[in-house]
Amino acid sequence: MIESDEVLTVIGAGQAGAELAVQAREGGWPGRILLAGDEPDLPYHRPPLSKAYLAGTATTETLALKARATYEHAGIELVLGRRVVAVDRKARRVEFDGGPSIDYSRLAFATGGRPRRLPTAASGADRAANFHYLRTLADVDRIRARFIDGARLVIIGGGYVGLEVAAVAVKQGLQVVVLEAAERILSRVTAPAVSAFYETVHRAAGVDVRTGMQVETFELNRDRSRVSAVVCRDGERLACDLVVAGIGLVPNTELAADCGLAVDDGILVDAAARTSDPHIVAAGDCTRYHSALYDRSIRLESVPNALEQARCAAATLTGQERRFDGVPWFWSDQYDLKLKMVGLSQGYDQLVLRGSPDAGAFCAFYLKGRRVLAVDTVNRVPDFMVAKRLVGERIEVDPDRLADEAVPLKSLLPA
Ligand SMILES: Cc1cc2nc3c(=O)[nH]c(=O)nc-3n(C[C@H](O)[C@H](O)[C@H](O)COP(=O)(O)OP(=O)(O)OC[C@H]3O[C@@H](n4cnc5c(N)ncnc54)[C@H](O)[C@@H]3O)c2cc1C
């Protein structure tokens, strides 16, 4: 039984934190709920940052996850623009940068992650006005201000965020180079056929995609306020007006580790989103958990994961335990291509294509034996629903039938 004077404090007012706070209230948390985040804005959708918001077709209003009134009606106290700097688990107290501290009965970590930094900080590029990482609204506002027709943009990292930025930028008339250290773009997450497809699309749009390119250092202008060129290991020098680096994410786990929670590249949680302290739950990009689907520990960076885990954490807090083992899924929008992915492809031994990349609409199935580990669907939204079931229910398939467009995909599902 939760008493009405018990306080739930959520650290991190992002996708997971906002959902967790609202769901905890809906699930019957009777006491105070504090949603504390270090960004000044109302909790917002992060995916449009590299898509519609960067393109100027979404506004801060449309980005907000929920209206301010929703938090007010739910009695959720927003503590925005404040950073939590320490958690005292013994005293059950949270300390903010610049005080005062708040006592909690239950605590939730939803601290997300931050951009992985390039190991080139010594060059001073990180402090230059035209060098950017992309994680927050404030980052995109700064980038957008430099999106000027003809400007030379160098994007470091050919992952989803980098490629989405490239797609928006080239459409806006920037001269775009993408530098990818691996031999192909999207190499961590997709098969060579899918990488090749995206590389072709970007090149056709005018993006200069360079793979196998390691950034060595940056040249700065005389007063060191701007990066004037990116210098690669092979000696290539790319003059630039703007640099955006997107080379991955580091989970924000230091606060949890400092207060003694179990952490291993993610705050460790069980299927009920509980951390190693029974009074503390965690959700979203900052967590790592055992996936029953893949029988290994995973850490995901996706909105569906953040939301589902947040709902699970809220249920745990309100005594309605619900197990979490969502099927991982993700999406990416580039040009007029809707890529939706489900599952994790690591360990696949066969790739089956259905449809044709040349036609701009296809599915790539990652099989291990006859089991479908993961599927990428490009402009095939109806197939995605079937793909989700094939992956989530570990349905075994005949690869020949999977490839055969004459066989309806749905017919591969059990009757
Ligand atoms: C540009 C971009 C595009 C993306 N596109 C997609 C997409 O298309 N599809 C998809 O599924 N996912 C996408 N993602 C990933 C998705 O946005 C994340 O998985 C999701 O936001 C995770 O939610 P979260 O609540 O765990 O973390 P976040 O949304 O990062 O929220 C964590 C919050 O906690 C705050 N915080 C951290 N530490 C503290 C502290 N000590 N005190 C106070 N506050 C703190 C952070 O500043 C942040 O506001 C994208 C991400 C980015 C950056």
Side-chain angles (χ1 to χ4, degrees):
M1 187 52 191
I2 311 156
E3 302 296 331
S4 59
D5 59 352
E6 293 194 32
V7 181
L8 166 61
T9 299
V10 183
I11 310 175
Q15 304 261 182
E19 184 71 12
L20 199 159
V22 170
Q23 292 299 322
R25 180 63 83 214
E26 285 188 3
W29 182 270
R32 286 178 73 193
I33 300 179
L34 276 89
L35 178 56
D38 56 2
E39 293 185 67
D41 318 277
L42 272 184
Y44 59 87
H45 291 278
R46 232 170 261 284
L49 293 185
S50 50
K51 307 175 182 78
Y53 188 72
L54 184 63
T57 55
T59 62
T60 42
E61 286 72 33
T62 58
L63 238 51
L65 288 167
K66 297 169 202 305
R68 190 176 287 277
T70 307
Y71 300 102
E72 283 168 10
H73 291 150
I76 294 166
E77 299 166 47
L78 295 172
V79 186
L80 299 177
R82 302 282 307 280
R83 184 160 185 77
V84 174
V85 289
V87 171
D88 181 341
R89 288 200 292 138
K90 219 162 159 203
R92 294 211 205 153
R93 187 167 299 145
V94 161
E95 286 171 28
F96 287 89
D97 196 5
S101 53
I102 292 173
D103 291 344
Y104 68 84
S105 321
R106 297 298 209 93
L107 187 64
F109 277 89
T111 46
R114 59 184 181 274
R116 184 178 298 285
R117 306 269 148 182
L118 284 163
T120 43
S123 69
D126 286 35
R127 292 186 298 279
N130 62 341
F131 180 98
H132 305 277
Y133 293 102
L134 200 171
R135 180 75 188 171
T136 65
L137 243 174
D139 292 336
V140 186
D141 286 340
R142 284 190 290 267
I143 294 170
R144 265 205 327 197
R146 294 179 184 274
F147 261 38
I148 297 157
D149 197 8
R152 296 160 302 173
L153 165 65
V154 175
I155 297 171
I156 302 172
Y160 290 120
V161 170
L163 294 177
E164 288 178 352
V165 172
V168 173
V170 79
K171 267 177 112 175
Q172 299 202 354
L174 280 82
Q175 300 174 50
V176 186
V177 180
V178 173
L179 297 178
E180 167 56 53
E183 288 309 314
R184 58 186 175 89
I185 56 172
L186 298 173
S187 64
R188 270 191 320 128
V189 281
T190 62
V194 181
S195 298
F197 169 76
Y198 273 95
E199 207 169 306
T200 305
V201 169
H202 278 281
R203 289 223 164 96
V207 176
D208 183 0
V209 180
R210 314 261 190 107
T211 55
M213 294 287 272
Q214 303 266 355
V215 173
E216 178 77 15
T217 190
F218 297 90
E219 284 176 17
L220 301 179
N221 66 347
R222 194 171 295 192
D223 67 5
R224 303 188 70 74
S225 63
R226 297 169 53 81
V227 175
S228 49
V230 180
V231 182
C232 298
R233 196 159 290 171
D234 67 356
E236 172 102 35
R237 180 183 174 278
L238 296 153
C240 62
D241 301 303
L242 178 63
V243 180
V244 175
I247 57 162
L249 175 124
V250 177
N252 289 326
T253 57
E254 291 78 1
L255 197 60
D258 288 350
C259 72
L261 294 183
V263 166
D264 179 11
D265 181 39
I267 302 169
L268 302 183
V269 292
D270 65 12
R274 258 190 243 100
T275 67
S276 53
D277 178 332
H279 293 101
I280 305 180
V281 293
D285 285 11
C286 65
T287 67
R288 173 173 285 279
Y289 67 96
H290 181 84
S291 161
L293 188 60
Y294 294 103
D295 193 24
R296 64 185 155 94
S297 136
I298 61 175
R299 187 175 62 73
L300 299 175
E301 296 162 16
S302 85
V303 167
N305 174 71
L307 296 180
E308 193 45 41
Q309 211 176 21
R311 290 172 195 139
C312 178
T316 298
L317 289 167
T318 51
Q320 310 147 44
E321 196 154 320
R322 159 173 154 181
R323 291 183 69 78
F324 168 76
D325 192 25
V327 184
W329 71 272
F330 190 82
W331 74 92
S332 174
D333 299 335
Q334 295 165 50
Y335 310 104
D336 56 355
L337 299 171
K338 286 229 162 296
L339 171 63
K340 293 184 94 179
M341 298 141 276
V342 57
L344 303 174
S345 61
Q346 284 94 332
Y348 76 96
D349 52 28
Q350 188 183 356
L351 184 81
V352 174
L353 290 183
R354 185 179 172 92
S356 158
D358 292 341
F362 65 100
C363 302
F365 294 85
Y366 300 79
L367 302 190
K368 188 172 173 79
R370 293 169 80 91
R371 179 179 164 194
V372 184
L373 290 181
V375 187
D376 298 337
T377 65
V378 177
N379 281 0
R380 303 264 290 218
V381 175
D383 286 350
F384 178 74
M385 300 318 291
V386 182
K388 231 173 153 183
R389 284 196 57 195
L390 289 174
V391 173
E393 296 172 30
R394 305 173 208 215
I395 295 166
E396 300 216 327
V397 293
D398 172 349
D400 293 335
R401 285 168 57 80
L402 201 54
D404 186 353
E405 291 258 55
V407 177
L409 196 57
K410 262 190 173 165
S411 70
L412 300 178
L413 295 171

